[in-house]
């Protein structure tokens, strides 16, 4: 049937750890928003957490919500106040809708807005549905030659870009990226574009390192959980052939964070991207006596325009290599199951709609 006659299918999660498809009404379009036909959506580890464990930290699934926050699509309705977009425009959705009024927003650090409404994170409904209304300020036009699949990768690529911008590696600066999931690979792409070299990538799973190699990151270390943190650090330094000055930690595991503390050169930077237990044990005084900078990175701010440019211009190489599975919206439940199944060897699973 014609597009607007098609049901607004959505993927829901409830507080009983169930995911299911349910039809939504066609969204009403607020004056500052556009209605987007969502054409591609990536699945992120957080969706699996909301489903399998009922939440992440203090953010709990207390009532049914629609998941999804890595999306791109086509505008099918434009709000009364919106002048920057027209029907038919192709856009990538920036999912964190900040208030634009608080101190953090005014200072440009809008990823830290305490009132942010983040798609697919309780209590805000997400983008895993056919039609969604989203504020125009948080929509970004796709170049004609940028696919919706790439448009939906701008979100994880932005996580990587934000982390790399905060560490600001320079040409020839040796770095380690711990963890070769979608986020570690996104960090590696931005670090490489910034000139970091060598780039050593670690993981526990060989297939993830194979993927890293296919994307041009040949210097990998398969971590053995039997190694203690000093052994891991020694292997990382050996693989780099010099002392890593930045370790981008993209696993969130206590073991990997500890290894990162010992791998990094004195005066270097531990850039923490991975999320894990709320409290962990660190070699605090070793960091102190060695003046190691401990820097964190949370989501992103002001990344879409630049990351879209970098993706479009080919600086990142072929980012679609991150996408290992694509399923139609009607099979969104199956798509989440594949993403949650470690034996599927997936990196990025996307839900698509024509
Ligand atoms: P992922 O689970 O797909 O990838 C993590 C990888 O780390 C896996 O391949 C795993 O095998 C590997 N790993 C686990 N323990 C390891 C160890 N000790 N040594 C080496 N490798 C190890 O997750 P992802 O989607 O790539 O996300 C990575 C992390 O980034 C997660 O913790 C996620 O919550 C976090 N994250 C942070 C932000 C942010 O804004 N800071 C945004 C998105 C995701
Ligand atoms: Zn704000």
């Amino acid at each position: 049937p014609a597009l607007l006659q098609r049901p607004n299918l959505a993927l829901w999660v409830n507080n009983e750890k169930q995911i299911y498809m349910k039809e939504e009404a066609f969204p009403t379009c607020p004056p500052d928003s556009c209605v987007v036909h969502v054409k591609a959506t990536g699945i992120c580890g957080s969706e699996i957490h909301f489903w399998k464990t009922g939440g992440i930290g203090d953010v709990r699934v207390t009532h049914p919500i629609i998941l999804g926050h890595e999306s791109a699509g086509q505008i099918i309705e434009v709000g009364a106040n919106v002048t920057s977009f027209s029907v038919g425009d192709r856009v990538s959705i920036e999912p964190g809708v900040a208030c634009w009024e608080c101190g953090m927003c005014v200072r440009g650090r809008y990823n830290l807005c305490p009132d942010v409404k983040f798609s697919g994170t309780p209590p805000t409904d997400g983008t895993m549905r056919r039609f969604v209304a989203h504020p125009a300020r948080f929509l970004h036009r796709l170049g004609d030659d940028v696919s919706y699949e790439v448009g939906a990768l701008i979100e994880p690529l932005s996580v990587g870009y934000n982390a790399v911008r905060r560490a600001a590696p320079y040409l020839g600066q040796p770095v380690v990226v711990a963890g070769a999931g979608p986020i570690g690979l996104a960090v590696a792409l931005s670090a490489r574009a910034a000139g970091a070299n060598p780039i050593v990538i670690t993981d526990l799973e060989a297939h993830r390192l194979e993927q890293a190699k296919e994307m041009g990151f040949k210097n990998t270390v398969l971590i053995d959980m039997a190694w203690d943190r000093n052994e891991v650090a020694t292997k990382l330094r050996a693989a780099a052939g010099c002392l890593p000055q930045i370790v981008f930690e993209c696993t969130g595991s206590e073991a990997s964070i500890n290894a990162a503390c010992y791998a990094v050169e004195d005066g270097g930077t531990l850039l923490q991207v991975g999320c894990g237990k709320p409290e962990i044990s660190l070699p605090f005084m070793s960091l102190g006596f060695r003046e190691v900078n401990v820097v964190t990175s949370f989501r992103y701010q002001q990344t879409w325009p630049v990351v879209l440019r970098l993706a479009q211009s080919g600086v990142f190489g072929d980012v679609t290599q991150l996408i290992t599975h694509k399923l139609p919206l009607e099979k969104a439940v199956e798509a989440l199951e594949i993403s949650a199944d470690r034996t599927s060897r997936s990196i990025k699973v996307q839900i698509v709609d024509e």
Side-chain angles (χ1 to χ4, degrees):
L3 179 63
L4 296 183
Q5 258 80 67
R6 286 155 72 191
N8 190 8
L9 271 183
L11 182 92
W12 294 75
V13 65
N14 66 15
N15 52 359
E16 286 160 40
K17 299 183 183 166
Q18 291 162 326
I19 52 169
Y20 50 93
M21 302 299 290
K22 197 174 77 137
E23 226 175 277
E24 266 280 271
F26 189 85
T28 52
C29 190
D32 295 314
S33 292
C34 296
V35 176
V36 177
H37 171 206
V38 180
K39 301 245 199 181
T41 301
I43 297 171
C44 156
S46 65
E47 270 106 36
I48 308 304
H49 276 286
F50 288 136
W51 165 28
K52 297 280 187 186
T53 67
I56 298 175
D58 294 339
V59 182
R60 309 311 300 175
V61 179
T62 53
H63 63 94
I65 67 154
I66 300 172
L67 288 171
H69 62 271
E70 301 181 4
S71 292
Q74 190 164 30
I75 291 178
I76 55 173
E77 190 180 335
V78 176
N81 297 342
V82 176
T83 54
S84 47
F85 290 106
S86 318
V87 168
D89 284 350
R90 304 163 67 256
V91 291
S92 174
I93 298 177
E94 179 173 356
V97 176
C99 81
W100 232 240
E101 286 179 2
C102 72
M104 284 298 145
C105 281
V106 168
R107 283 149 70 183
R109 299 186 73 171
Y110 65 84
N111 53 328
L112 306 180
C113 172
D115 294 322
V116 68
K117 293 180 175 59
F118 197 88
S119 301
T121 295
T124 308
D125 283 322
T127 58
M128 281 184 187
R129 47 178 144 172
R130 184 162 279 134
F131 308 118
V132 68
H134 199 78
R137 177 175 284 143
F138 296 94
L139 297 175
H140 303 271
R141 193 174 269 98
L142 293 178
D144 292 340
D145 55 343
V146 179
S147 66
Y148 293 113
E149 286 81 355
V150 171
L153 286 172
I154 302 303
E155 200 277 347
L157 290 172
S158 281
V159 174
Y161 182 91
N162 199 78
V164 169
R165 187 174 54 192
R166 280 177 65 71
Y170 53 77
L171 179 62
Q173 196 170 22
V175 307
V176 169
V177 178
I183 295 301
L185 293 172
V187 165
L189 289 171
S190 273
R192 180 170 66 187
N197 191 273
I199 298 175
V200 177
I201 305 196
T202 77
D203 208 284
L204 299 173
E205 295 190 36
H207 79 92
R208 291 235 147 152
L209 295 179
E210 287 311 313
Q211 178 73 27
K213 284 179 192 156
E214 267 171 44
M215 297 177 74
F217 301 102
K218 308 284 183 205
N219 197 340
T220 64
V221 177
L222 182 63
I223 303 292
D224 184 336
M225 281 303 278
W227 297 341
D228 68 25
R229 59 195 185 182
N230 288 302
E231 282 175 283
V232 175
T234 303
K235 306 264 187 200
L236 295 181
R237 289 174 162 201
C242 56
L243 300 180
Q245 292 176 351
I246 305 171
V247 179
F248 292 96
E249 207 299 317
C250 306
T251 78
S253 96
E254 189 163 8
S256 173
I257 298 168
N258 270 271
C261 292
Y262 286 110
V264 73
E265 188 179 18
D266 297 3
T269 298
L270 166 63
L271 198 301
Q272 187 61 36
V273 186
C275 309
K277 289 191 292 182
E279 293 182 21
I280 62 161
S281 153
L282 282 181
F284 184 64
M285 281 326 297
S286 168
L287 295 173
F289 288 146
R290 297 189 298 124
E291 280 197 352
V292 172
N293 304 307
V294 178
V295 182
T296 56
S297 180
F298 183 61
R299 293 177 182 157
Y300 30 68
Q301 40 92 356
Q302 299 168 96
T303 55
W304 253 256
V306 56
V307 173
L308 271 167
R309 264 194 332 267
L310 291 172
Q312 181 172 19
S313 64
V315 165
F316 289 143
D318 179 8
V319 292
T320 62
Q321 284 180 296
L322 290 165
I323 306 167
T324 52
H325 298 72
K326 262 196 246 185
L327 286 90
L329 176 62
E330 289 75 9
K331 293 191 175 171
V333 169
E334 196 181 314
L336 260 81
E337 284 164 351
I338 291 170
S339 185
D341 175 7
R342 292 204 83 97
T343 66
S344 72
R345 306 191 145 218
S346 66
I347 303 277
K348 184 58 72 185
V349 181
Q350 281 193 351
I351 297 165
V352 294
D353 194 47
E354 290 299 309

